[in-house]
Amino acid sequence: MNTEFDDEQMALLNRIPAVRMVSRRRIYYTDAFREEFRRRSKAGESAKAIFESAGLGPRVIGLKRIERCAARWLQEDDEDESGPGAEDSGIACGHGLGADARQSQPLPPYPPYRPRVTSKYSVEAVLLAYRERIDRLEKRVEELERIALARTAAG
């Protein structure tokens, strides 16, 4: 399996708000995404679901990369809670490096994720990514409709 990203893949990944920068072999995530991951993970949400909501599902970056990031970030949390002397191993998932190429910014609830059909990404993978996004948006609409209905009934 080729673990290096080509130019097209790097361009796709760099458009995702949760990604600070991409090199041929590594994805560097924003501090905001790492914090959001930690918060949502502590609330019981799966690593896969958190990455998918940021446009970084297994079909885009691979399940193994998600699993390694989750393990490292959660281990960092455990080390941070263990007291003084705990070190941050950086923002690159699985690597102790931390280039700061892009300013960390809060993530929008649903980032604008637009996968491209290329030889590396099958049409099925792109359709699946859009289906997942549509499902998330439909759930959000239902949630907002319930809130609006509750406010109308209360006031």
Side-chain angles (χ1 to χ4, degrees):
M1 182 174 119
N2 184 5
T3 59
E4 289 195 2
F5 298 115
D6 63 26
D7 291 337
E8 253 182 306
Q9 292 168 319
M10 289 173 64
L12 171 72
L13 290 167
N14 271 317
R15 285 192 294 260
I16 297 174
V19 175
R20 180 172 294 176
M21 71 176 254
V22 179
S23 71
R24 291 275 175 213
R25 298 184 63 102
R26 298 177 182 153
I27 301 172
Y28 297 85
Y29 300 92
T30 63
D31 292 336
F33 178 66
R34 286 172 45 127
E35 291 307 312
E36 179 180 346
F37 174 87
R38 287 180 173 131
R39 179 184 53 77
R40 290 170 62 182
S41 180
K42 285 179 182 178
E45 197 168 344
S46 74
K48 180 181 166 193
I50 298 167
F51 272 77
E52 284 176 335
S53 72
L56 294 162
R59 296 228 181 216
V60 178
I61 65 170
L63 187 58
K64 197 63 161 175
R65 194 179 299 265
I66 292 170
E67 291 170 348
R68 280 186 260 150
C69 286
R72 173 159 272 101
W73 293 348
L74 295 174
Q75 180 182 1
E76 287 173 5
D77 271 358
D78 291 343
E79 290 171 2
D80 288 345
E81 291 172 3
S82 67
E87 294 182 19
D88 183 4
S89 66
I91 60 170
C93 183
H95 309 283
L97 302 173
D100 201 1
R102 194 185 297 171
Q103 217 37 297
S104 288
Q105 298 173 349
L107 293 176
Y110 297 97
Y113 174 54
R114 294 175 188 90
R116 302 249 186 238
V117 177
T118 68
S119 59
K120 302 289 182 193
Y121 298 100
S122 69
V123 172
E124 292 83 14
V126 171
L127 290 174
L128 178 62
Y130 275 122
R131 179 73 252 162
E132 291 168 351
R133 179 167 168 75
I134 289 168
D135 289 344
R136 286 191 312 273
L137 291 171
E138 286 175 346
K139 287 178 186 175
R140 181 69 177 145
V141 167
E142 289 172 8
E143 178 185 335
L144 292 171
E145 286 173 342
R146 280 193 301 272
I147 292 169
L149 184 61
R151 286 185 180 168
T152 304

